[in-house]
Amino acid sequence: MVTLAVDAMGGDIGPEVTIAGAALAIKRYPDMRLVFYGLADRVKPVLVRYPELAQCTFHASESATAMDEKPSQALRNGRGRSSMWHAIEAVKAGTADACVSAGNTGALMAMSYFCLRMMEEAERPGIAGVWPTLQGESIVLDIGATIGADANQLVTLAVMGAGMFRALYHVERPTVGLLNVGVEEVKGLEQIRQAGQILRQIDLAGLEYKGFVEGNDLGKGTVDVVVTEGFVGNIALKAAEGTARQMAQTLSEAMRSSVFSRLGYLFSRGAFRKLRDKMDPGRVNGGVLLGLNGVVIKSHGGTDAEGFASALRVGYEMVKNQLLDKIIADLRHFRANLLDLQADSEETE
Amino acid sequence: MVTLAVDAMGGDIGPEVTIAGAALAIKRYPDMRLVFYGLADRVKPVLVRYPELAQCTFHASESATAMDEKPSQALRNGRGRSSMWHAIEAVKAGTADACVSAGNTGALMAMSYFCLRMMEEAERPGIAGVWPTLQGESIVLDIGATIGADANQLVTLAVMGAGMFRALYHVERPTVGLLNVGVEEVKGLEQIRQAGQILRQIDLAGLEYKGFVEGNDLGKGTVDVVVTEGFVGNIALKAAEGTARQMAQTLSEAMRSSVFSRLGYLFSRGAFRKLRDKMDPGRVNGGVLLGLNGVVIKSHGGTDAEGFASALRVGYEMVKNQLLDKIIADLRHFRANLLDLQADSEETE
């Protein structure tokens, strides 16, 4: 049995989307249990429309965290009161295995950090996103939890990202690359080079290090897991999202520009929709907050029911495949080896 | 009269493309003069095919810089010998107003830097690229000349980028944004905040500062000039290029997946090609090396004749609109105001 705590109020629309998404997910995973948190007068009228959710629990919350609240404000206002807080707290209390919210990212991070705390092995949080590629999907992290990262923090992200890839796609040893610039003799930042050396020297069971990758490798799917610090990850993600949307818009304008292309559009609408949904990294749903003592899934705020169901799937798979235990084991292995590495290099000095 | 020095050997293909592109450009700009540099046995047989280039000059070089040479190696091997070096040297000697090459970027930067030196006012070089947007085109810089930038260096990039936009698109006061992450209370890096303060306080005649922009604003065309340091700029550019190519490829596969969509494709081929050429930042041609005592244009190595003609157009417009003089004037104005600003803040302390 996998129990997910759902912040039913999160997202641009709220219960109408989250509960519809939950209804889709519960049919797909018979051993999934859902616990909803939200405002009673908003959630209950929607919940009764889905008989398939009759077995699920609902807990009323006093407030809902607004999409535009600042994290500190959301924490002050929502602590002990909002549906987002309650869903996270359920993970801490052990009444749920993971929490899923389509709410305000900054607030979700702040509350999760405050309530669940960092796992001792991880030091700092990271947000991992699923990126559509020509090969299928990759995981990219950090896409904005923190700015800047030293070599050890990049390796920690690599270990957590590989753990997530393994849990989601059941690949024993995902390939990992460090995002860098390819200009010759501008070999990138010192901390990225160092992280590469560590990943090469410590042979981690949970991942296969492939070296540096460049920005265009993201879409190619050259590796399973692309590691970078949060500033670059956030800009890269949004630049790619922007390009995907801009192409979709330009295409639909171009298709209306002549009788021929209009006719072409009628015949190929299905292919277009599929393309748009597949290629926009912003539409692949279910970012994961990694490094915490608990699994927290961030769904896209503007998602639809199908997208929210896919965020629930991510949470379900993370729990089912014991993501946290595996990450902790891998991080401990990394830290132990790092000490050996340091001892070795001191001896040879 | 605008005289451009052309490295006829540059690019994946060489003279067949560069000279065909030159033939296109010379018809469009009657006051353009071209001077070609290259290996005589490669260039001459191509040149004779274009009677419209009969008035242009050709100078034989002993060598051509390979696309995969490392910058230091290219400089050692090519100094005083290669067509790329000769084209740059023509700018230094004043026999040409600007230089255009589709050759190896690192080599072009190294040779330009070595031969032309930095303009006193700029301190460091930057590479500016033209980015396709929903509104038209923006300029993004630095896309990989140097890694990292402090506040003054970011402002210098802003001034140079605005100067380039003005020269290319004849807009008196281009809008400028600083690339940043939008997560609340993670307001980005200190140097970006400082650069924003300087741009707000010093009212520069050559640009209108609009504040921070995010990765998805690149494709939207929210501002005319987007400023960032070279690491982030390079990753963002390549992430967007990758997404554009990946979408084009997925689309063409999707269009072949059913009889209906195949039929649709036949009717809308033209629209697709237009889309692909328009939306891929890698296809918009003519990056500019800024900050040097001379105008150097980097054309995409894989470009075709039309693309090389557009790189020649960029060089032509830069010279015609006295880009360097304007940039120098703006940078001097910025530095003078910066001193005032510092004096003011010291007084109030």
Side-chain angles (χ1 to χ4, degrees):
Chain A
M1 209 60 157
V2 173
T3 306
L4 301 178
V6 179
D7 169 17
M9 305 304 296
D12 298 340
I13 293 173
E16 289 74 14
V17 164
T18 57
I19 291 170
L24 291 173
I26 204 116
K27 280 181 267 185
R28 295 175 192 161
Y29 307 100
D31 64 337
M32 186 190 272
R33 248 192 80 229
L34 298 173
V35 187
F36 296 100
Y37 296 87
L39 302 177
D41 58 338
R42 290 283 312 279
V43 176
K44 281 186 168 172
V46 186
L47 211 45
V48 292
R49 283 188 241 147
Y50 298 92
E52 57 271 52
L53 297 174
Q55 301 300 317
C56 298
T57 324
F58 168 69
H59 295 292
S61 300
E62 288 165 61
S63 70
T65 300
M67 292 304 274
D68 58 357
E69 264 180 288
K70 291 196 173 164
S72 56
Q73 194 185 346
L75 190 58
R76 261 196 318 274
N77 297 341
R79 192 177 164 189
R81 299 178 64 241
S82 88
S83 57
M84 185 186 275
W85 176 274
H86 286 143
I88 298 166
E89 211 176 29
V91 177
K92 192 187 179 191
T95 56
D97 300 310
C99 148
V100 182
S101 174
N104 177 337
T105 309
L108 188 66
M109 270 184 55
M111 287 189 193
S112 301
Y113 186 82
F114 191 87
C115 182
L116 297 171
R117 300 279 161 192
M118 292 305 302
M119 60 168 71
E120 196 188 316
E121 293 78 5
E123 191 182 323
R124 295 199 317 172
I127 303 180
V130 174
W131 194 293
T133 74
L134 287 174
Q135 317 290 323
E137 287 171 353
S138 297
I139 284 173
V140 179
L141 77 170
D142 174 23
I143 52 172
T146 45
I147 285 180
D150 65 23
N152 284 345
Q153 286 160 343
L154 288 170
V155 176
T156 301
L157 289 170
V159 169
M160 297 197 297
M164 176 174 159
F165 194 92
R166 205 157 71 239
L168 260 186
Y169 306 100
H170 312 294
V171 169
E172 210 38 58
R173 240 185 140 203
T175 55
V176 171
L178 293 168
L179 194 58
N180 203 344
V181 295
V183 184
E184 286 294 339
E185 280 171 54
V186 188
K187 290 161 207 151
L189 304 165
E190 186 52 27
Q191 58 271 37
I192 301 177
R193 278 202 293 273
Q194 275 177 18
Q197 278 167 10
I198 296 173
L199 283 166
R200 228 177 262 291
Q201 283 168 344
I202 300 181
D203 195 34
L204 290 159
L207 63 89
E208 187 186 346
Y209 176 59
K210 287 289 193 184
F212 298 148
V213 294
E214 293 191 58
N216 50 346
D217 288 303
L218 286 161
K220 281 189 204 157
T222 312
V223 290
D224 297 329
V225 180
V226 177
V227 176
T228 184
E229 56 81 35
F231 189 89
V232 170
N234 184 278
I235 301 274
L237 179 77
K238 291 198 170 160
E241 275 181 26
T243 305
R245 280 176 202 169
Q246 169 199 11
M247 276 188 84
Q249 188 174 330
T250 309
L251 185 62
S252 83
E253 281 162 17
M255 296 306 278
R256 283 168 179 77
S257 65
S258 79
V259 178
F260 281 120
S261 58
R262 217 184 277 246
L263 213 60
Y265 179 68
L266 288 178
F267 282 114
S268 49
R269 252 183 312 201
F272 288 151
R273 291 217 187 99
K274 221 160 64 186
L275 173 80
R276 194 197 50 200
D277 292 352
K278 191 181 156 190
M279 303 320 285
D280 179 345
R283 278 176 187 267
V284 178
N285 212 3
V288 179
L289 272 56
L290 292 169
L292 300 163
N293 290 311
V295 175
V296 178
I297 311 296
K298 166 67 177 87
S299 161
H300 205 281
T303 194
D304 57 11
E306 191 54 63
F308 196 74
S310 106
L312 289 168
R313 182 207 154 219
V314 170
Y316 173 84
E317 296 280 356
M318 300 285 107
V319 174
K320 194 85 181 169
N321 294 290
Q322 296 156 300
L323 175 73
L324 287 194
D325 294 345
K326 286 182 182 162
I327 285 181
I328 289 174
D330 280 359
L331 285 178
R332 284 193 183 150
H333 179 75
F334 155 54
R335 304 237 175 250
N337 277 275
L338 192 63
L339 292 176
D340 291 352
L341 206 70
Q342 283 161 347
D344 282 358
S345 76
E346 270 159 31
E347 266 170 40
T348 56
E349 260 165 27
Chain B
M1 207 60 155
V2 173
T3 306
L4 301 178
V6 179
D7 169 16
M9 305 304 295
D12 298 339
I13 293 175
E16 289 74 15
V17 164
T18 57
I19 291 171
L24 290 172
I26 204 116
K27 280 182 265 185
R28 295 176 193 160
Y29 307 99
D31 64 337
M32 184 191 274
R33 247 192 82 229
L34 298 173
V35 187
F36 296 100
Y37 295 87
L39 302 177
D41 60 338
R42 290 282 314 276
V43 176
K44 281 186 167 172
V46 186
L47 210 48
V48 292
R49 284 189 240 146
Y50 297 92
E52 57 271 51
L53 296 175
Q55 301 302 315
C56 298
T57 323
F58 168 69
H59 294 290
S61 300
E62 287 163 62
S63 70
T65 300
M67 292 304 274
D68 57 358
E69 266 180 288
K70 291 196 173 166
S72 57
Q73 192 186 350
L75 191 56
R76 260 196 321 273
N77 297 341
R79 190 175 166 193
R81 298 179 65 241
S82 89
S83 57
M84 185 186 275
W85 176 274
H86 287 143
I88 297 166
E89 210 177 28
V91 177
K92 191 187 180 191
T95 55
D97 300 310
C99 148
V100 182
S101 174
N104 176 337
T105 309
L108 188 66
M109 271 184 54
M111 286 188 195
S112 301
Y113 186 83
F114 191 88
C115 181
L116 296 171
R117 300 278 159 192
M118 293 304 303
M119 60 168 69
E120 197 189 317
E121 293 78 5
E123 191 181 326
R124 293 199 318 171
I127 303 181
V130 174
W131 194 294
T133 74
L134 287 174
Q135 317 289 325
E137 287 170 354
S138 297
I139 284 172
V140 179
L141 76 169
D142 174 21
I143 52 172
T146 45
I147 284 179
D150 65 23
N152 284 346
Q153 286 161 343
L154 288 170
V155 177
T156 301
L157 288 171
V159 169
M160 296 197 298
M164 177 173 157
F165 194 93
R166 204 156 72 238
L168 259 186
Y169 305 100
H170 312 293
V171 168
E172 209 38 59
R173 241 186 138 204
T175 55
V176 171
L178 292 168
L179 193 59
N180 204 344
V181 294
V183 184
E184 285 295 338
E185 278 171 55
V186 187
K187 290 162 207 148
L189 304 165
E190 185 52 29
Q191 58 269 37
I192 301 178
R193 278 202 292 274
Q194 275 178 16
Q197 277 168 10
I198 296 173
L199 283 166
R200 228 176 263 291
Q201 283 169 340
I202 299 182
D203 195 34
L204 289 159
L207 63 88
E208 187 186 346
Y209 177 59
K210 289 286 191 186
F212 298 148
V213 294
E214 292 190 59
N216 50 346
D217 288 303
L218 286 162
K220 281 188 204 156
T222 310
V223 290
D224 297 328
V225 181
V226 177
V227 176
T228 184
E229 57 81 34
F231 189 89
V232 170
N234 184 278
I235 301 275
L237 178 77
K238 290 197 170 161
E241 275 180 26
T243 304
R245 281 176 202 171
Q246 169 199 12
M247 277 189 85
Q249 187 174 331
T250 309
L251 185 61
S252 83
E253 281 162 15
M255 295 307 276
R256 284 168 178 77
S257 65
S258 78
V259 177
F260 281 121
S261 58
R262 215 185 280 247
L263 214 60
Y265 179 69
L266 288 178
F267 282 114
S268 48
R269 252 184 311 201
F272 288 150
R273 291 216 187 101
K274 220 161 65 187
L275 172 79
R276 193 197 52 199
D277 292 353
K278 192 181 155 192
M279 302 321 284
D280 178 346
R283 279 177 186 265
V284 178
N285 211 1
V288 180
L289 271 57
L290 292 169
L292 299 163
N293 289 312
V295 176
V296 178
I297 311 297
K298 166 67 177 87
S299 161
H300 204 282
T303 194
D304 56 11
E306 192 52 65
F308 196 74
S310 108
L312 289 168
R313 181 205 154 222
V314 171
Y316 174 86
E317 296 281 355
M318 298 287 107
V319 174
K320 194 85 180 171
N321 295 291
Q322 295 156 302
L323 174 74
L324 286 194
D325 294 345
K326 285 181 185 162
I327 285 181
I328 289 173
D330 280 358
L331 284 178
R332 284 192 183 149
H333 179 74
F334 155 54
R335 303 237 175 249
N337 276 274
L338 192 63
L339 291 176
D340 291 352
L341 206 69
Q342 282 161 349
D344 283 357
S345 76
E346 271 159 31
E347 265 170 42
T348 54
E349 262 165 27

